[in-house]
Amino acid sequence: MKKEAKQWFNNSVLIAKHAGESFKTKFEYEIKRRKEALAKFEEKSIIITPDLVTGTYRAIGQNPDDVESCYIGNVDFFFENDTWKAKWNIAGFTHSAYGMLVTPSILVFNYSYEDADNVTKLGIVSYTFLSDTIVKGSWLEEGFPVKGIEELRKLDADEDSKPDSHDANFGFSLN
């Protein structure tokens, strides 16, 4: 499990290296917070419950169509009427999803959103909870032959949950 947490951090660092100048500060701050989270990481079995998962997470991701793409934004997880739900806010786009627990530590969501051309896009994303704050993710979307990466860190209650952006130099496809 510690190996997976280190990979989560390394993925985050590699993605952040592609941030344009206007977004570097946001990514640098997030990498600093992830380094702190990794230092506090303790190997233990995670069992997903609404109390553990509900909250806002900072997402750092990469689109599969361009290994130099990067984005940063938020995803909110909540549990309503016995149903897992998620809502992403990234680069002015909102993605909504319904999910299900597939193992004690993995949530999978079926998401949809409208792109800039008002075309509805569909996909799935799988999140493995390595701890109560560290979450590894990968996603597939129609039109992409390979998986995208999305690594999450649960925000502390006192953290600003507003920053979201993508590097327009590299495009934005989904997340």
Side-chain angles (χ1 to χ4, degrees):
M1 192 72 87
K2 181 73 170 182
K3 183 179 177 182
E4 289 176 304
K6 286 180 182 178
Q7 186 61 50
W8 164 85
F9 180 75
N10 291 339
N11 285 348
S12 299
V13 169
L14 289 173
I15 293 166
K17 285 182 180 181
H18 297 292
E21 284 302 315
S22 60
F23 301 119
K24 278 206 182 295
T25 302
K26 290 179 184 181
F27 280 93
E28 288 170 354
Y29 172 80
E30 184 56 28
I31 294 303
K32 176 183 169 200
R33 295 304 309 260
R34 287 169 186 241
K35 189 173 189 175
E36 294 166 359
L38 182 61
K40 294 177 187 175
F41 179 80
E42 294 179 20
E43 288 195 53
K44 62 181 179 180
S45 184
I46 296 295
I47 297 176
I48 291 174
T49 64
D51 287 339
L52 175 83
V53 172
T54 299
T56 301
Y57 296 74
R58 180 79 72 233
I60 287 182
Q62 183 177 58
N63 297 316
D65 59 336
D66 185 348
V67 296
E68 293 187 342
S69 67
C70 62
Y71 61 85
I72 188 168
N74 293 334
V75 59
D76 290 299
F77 293 128
F78 43 104
F79 191 74
E80 291 179 343
N81 302 319
D82 294 327
T83 303
W84 287 102
K85 295 181 182 179
K87 185 169 286 206
W88 293 260
N89 290 297
I90 299 176
F93 288 87
T94 299
H95 305 68
S96 300
Y98 291 94
M100 65 182 199
L101 188 62
V102 295
T103 75
S105 64
I106 298 175
L107 277 173
V108 174
F109 290 92
N110 178 9
Y111 67 83
S112 66
Y113 71 98
E114 280 192 19
D115 68 10
D117 298 321
N118 295 320
V119 175
T120 300
K121 299 290 186 169
L122 304 172
I124 58 171
V125 60
S126 174
Y127 293 116
T128 301
F129 284 72
L130 304 178
S131 74
D132 56 345
T133 60
I134 295 176
V135 184
K136 286 191 61 56
S138 61
W139 53 271
L140 289 169
E141 182 176 310
E142 61 181 323
F144 290 113
V146 294
K147 293 185 290 185
I149 299 170
E150 188 167 274
E151 310 293 32
L152 308 180
R153 180 186 61 84
K154 191 170 190 177
L155 298 180
D156 293 334
D158 63 347
E159 277 188 87
D160 180 12
S161 65
K162 297 207 186 331
D164 76 308
S165 56
H166 73 288
D167 192 327
N169 295 325
F170 298 116
F172 177 77
S173 59
L174 137 61
N175 289 339

